[in-house]
Amino acid sequence: MSYLQFLGAAGVVTGSKHMVHLDSDGTRPLQVLVDCGLFQGQKEWRERNWQDLPLPAKTIDAVILTHAHIDHSGWIPRLVKEGFHGPIFATPATVDLCSILLPDSGHLQEEDAEFYNKTRSSKHHPALPLYTMEEAQQCLTLFRPVNIGEPHQLSNAFSFRLVRAAHILGSSMAEVTVRANGRGQKLLFTGDIGRVRCGEDVPGKIVDCGPTQGEECDLLVMESTYGNREHPHDDPRPELATLIRTTLQRGGSVVVPAFAVERTQKLLFLLKELMETRQIPRVPVHADSPMAIKAVQIFLKHTEEFTADTKALVAKYGSPLDWSNFYFDSTQSDSKKINESQYPMIIVSSSGMVTGGRVLHHLAQRLPDPKNLALFIGFQAPGTRGFSIKNGADSIKIFGQQVPIRAQVASLEQFSDHADTPELLQWLHTFHRAPRQTFLVHGEPAAASQLRDAMTEALGWNVQVAAYKQKVLLG
Ligand SMILES: [Zn+2]
């Protein structure tokens, strides 16, 4: 029996893992995992990171990775730790990004375990990391770069090609062709889908808009993060400038939790431009991440995917590493020095959803003071600290302490790298034919079910919300 099984990102936006299992007569089945993401957010989800897969990891033949975000890639080191030793196919930019993101994720896992052991706040003694930084580094040897559009054959019954997703640097969708139960069929895994059209409302967008058009498939596995939302259509720059200016004028600092690669660089270029055009004062800007410098280098290495606007900004201002009042804080002591300074500044630090990383120190220090601003420019998954802060919590637990939130909290939705519902429908209208079945993954239940209804009404397609461990027969 050949089937597809959803092993993550079903009913939730994290933990993307989709297993293609192809039976062939007489020989061992072929098993390919599309994405291998970490569950993040609520404890209920995070505990799934510790559960075994329903099949031994060593029996998986290959992984196809759509993009580098940790909710798609962050379980790879654990998969390898459990015995997987096959190739991991991804675009060259995704491979580069994973080379800094996965070790960083291992470092965060080690820090978490250390914290639990220090405070004895875990039921496990000793608490162990899901994987270490070293284990994450070791798994990088399994990565195999694959260019967009290049066909690859894994067996007589399985071939694939990566196509543009327009989501982040290196992001792709996986078009998979299988021969199952005597029939050939095409599966399309969207990964995360980027903005469909670029306009004034997506300034600083790094990767050019427009996921590949005119797709066709028999079975579509599609993300639904923004399945019940529409992004604002106005230019966020004036509001961004006002928020920063008023915070600095009252003597406060701005803390922006942001994903270290790409989202941080996008914001740095916008801040540079706002300073050069005198819309905000020239205060110190700290990109505080252990991978800050490497992240800038990767960002500047892959300009081929950039929008014309971003290319122009890069041409005009050069490398952020050379800007006078921008600081890249690689070491922990650099990071600690930021908190010793009382002068107004802008701190951009990861993780973007405040689930870990150095941003925790900055928020613990600055959330209690009403002069400061916590500014969100990315999606916050329910259950994360970022979600609670953004949605008006009075206090938040950081390092075991309840930190009162008296600082101003604001969010700008225009920076999203996900298509919203109207954009998703616009993209789906370009399909040459209706897929026989569509499964929605990577969305909160409300977002996924509303997108299902919108797709059924607008397109008349057969759409279902995927369930955890659900198997779909192929053929
Ligand atoms: Zn993503």
Side-chain angles (χ1 to χ4, degrees):
M1 191 176 70
S2 296
Y3 59 85
L4 163 70
Q5 189 177 23
F6 304 108
L7 299 177
V12 63
V13 290
T14 63
S16 277
K17 281 180 212 80
H18 313 302
M19 173 60 65
V20 180
H21 174 106
L22 291 186
D23 256 345
S24 54
D25 295 334
T27 55
R28 202 173 66 76
L30 180 82
Q31 302 194 101
V32 179
L33 195 56
V34 179
D35 284 341
C36 187
L38 201 67
F39 285 102
Q40 295 166 301
Q42 274 149 354
K43 201 172 173 190
E44 161 196 7
W45 301 120
R46 280 182 285 125
E47 282 178 347
R48 282 202 185 157
N49 290 324
W50 293 91
Q51 293 171 9
D52 290 333
L53 292 179
L55 67 164
K58 65 171 189 290
T59 65
I60 298 173
D61 296 279
V63 171
I64 298 173
L65 178 60
T66 61
H67 66 291
H69 275 155
I70 288 296
D71 57 335
H72 292 256
S73 70
W75 212 75
I76 287 174
R78 183 73 192 185
L79 187 75
V80 173
K81 192 172 175 160
E82 293 195 352
F84 172 77
H85 49 76
I88 301 160
F89 298 103
T91 64
T94 299
V95 176
D96 281 350
L97 292 177
C98 284
S99 74
I100 61 170
L101 292 175
L102 293 182
D104 180 67
S105 173
H107 174 68
L108 293 177
Q109 303 292 338
E110 288 182 75
E111 271 186 354
D112 279 354
E114 204 177 302
F115 172 75
Y116 287 131
N117 287 327
K118 225 187 266 170
T119 57
R120 299 206 150 257
S121 53
S122 163
K123 55 180 190 259
H124 305 285
H125 297 293
L128 296 172
L130 194 60
Y131 51 85
T132 63
M133 187 162 97
E134 202 183 328
E135 285 165 338
Q137 237 139 17
Q138 283 162 1
C139 77
L140 300 174
T141 55
L142 299 175
F143 278 77
R144 303 281 177 271
V146 166
N147 290 320
I148 290 279
E150 256 174 36
H152 276 259
Q153 186 112 23
L154 296 190
S155 79
N156 288 341
F158 191 109
S159 60
F160 75 96
R161 166 175 106 109
L162 300 177
V163 297
R164 257 184 77 76
H167 169 55
I168 62 161
L169 218 57
S171 67
S172 63
M173 301 188 187
E175 282 179 9
V176 172
T177 305
V178 295
R179 188 139 195 101
N181 305 329
R183 276 177 49 175
Q185 57 189 303
K186 206 163 153 187
L187 284 54
L188 179 66
F189 297 88
T190 66
D192 287 351
I193 305 168
R195 304 299 294 266
V196 173
R197 45 175 182 255
C198 273
E200 273 289 286
D201 51 337
V202 289
K205 177 92 173 71
I206 289 185
V207 171
D208 215 357
C209 298
T212 180
Q213 299 205 343
E215 279 293 321
E216 57 179 334
C217 60
D218 302 288
L219 206 154
L220 174 65
V221 178
M222 175 173 158
E223 74 127 328
S224 55
T225 316
Y226 283 91
N228 56 352
R229 264 177 292 178
E230 191 169 341
H231 296 313
H233 291 291
D234 55 325
D235 183 340
R237 281 170 291 194
E239 195 185 346
L240 175 67
T242 306
L243 283 165
I244 294 173
R245 221 171 33 237
T246 47
T247 305
L248 299 174
Q249 274 162 1
R250 64 179 178 241
S253 288
V254 181
V255 182
V256 188
F259 185 60
V261 185
E262 189 175 310
R263 185 60 60 95
T264 291
Q265 285 78 38
K266 172 195 287 195
L267 185 67
L268 295 183
F269 272 93
L270 287 178
L271 293 175
K272 175 77 173 162
E273 201 185 29
L274 293 177
M275 283 179 191
E276 294 295 329
T277 52
R278 297 172 192 279
Q279 295 180 68
I280 58 171
R282 275 179 209 273
V283 293
V285 176
H286 287 273
D288 184 25
S289 156
M291 45 190 168
I293 293 173
K294 276 193 198 157
V296 171
Q297 288 161 343
I298 291 178
F299 166 87
L300 292 174
K301 180 178 163 190
H302 292 283
T303 54
E304 67 279 358
E305 293 183 65
F306 287 12
T307 61
D309 280 357
T310 303
K311 278 182 185 158
L313 283 173
V314 172
K316 193 165 164 191
Y317 298 122
S319 168
L321 298 174
D322 301 329
W323 301 345
S324 60
N325 53 324
F326 285 68
Y327 303 93
F328 293 84
D329 305 283
S330 291
T331 67
Q332 253 178 4
S333 71
D334 290 343
S335 181
K336 281 187 186 142
K337 272 190 210 138
I338 300 173
N339 282 340
E340 285 161 13
S341 167
Q342 294 305 312
Y343 293 104
M345 62 173 80
I346 300 169
I347 303 162
V348 190
S349 186
S350 57
S351 74
M353 297 196 282
V354 202
T355 50
R358 292 184 186 170
V359 76
L360 292 178
H361 293 276
H362 301 303
L363 288 174
Q365 162 119 347
R366 295 176 199 268
L367 280 176
D369 187 341
K371 288 203 300 285
N372 297 323
L373 166 70
L375 176 63
F376 290 93
I377 56 169
F379 183 80
Q380 304 300 315
T384 59
R385 291 189 191 88
F387 182 88
S388 302
I389 300 169
K390 184 178 161 182
N391 286 284
D394 296 331
S395 67
I396 192 84
K397 203 172 181 182
I398 299 179
F399 304 125
Q401 305 281 326
Q402 232 22 71
V403 176
I405 303 173
R406 298 189 201 99
Q408 184 187 358
V409 175
S411 63
L412 294 169
E413 307 294 338
Q414 290 94 327
F415 294 101
S416 176
D417 284 317
H418 287 265
D420 64 6
T421 307
E423 287 174 273
L424 288 173
L425 291 174
Q426 186 188 349
W427 176 66
L428 291 168
H429 272 294
T430 71
F431 273 49
H432 289 313
R433 62 181 165 98
R436 206 171 63 245
Q437 281 177 296
T438 295
F439 289 90
L440 297 180
V441 294
H442 202 283
E444 293 302 315
S449 59
Q450 285 185 48
L451 183 60
R452 174 198 59 205
D453 297 346
M455 285 172 68
T456 310
E457 196 187 309
L459 305 153
W461 291 6
N462 171 16
V463 185
Q464 297 171 51
V465 178
Y468 185 47
K469 294 195 179 172
Q470 179 184 1
K471 285 183 181 176
V472 181
L473 282 186
L474 298 175

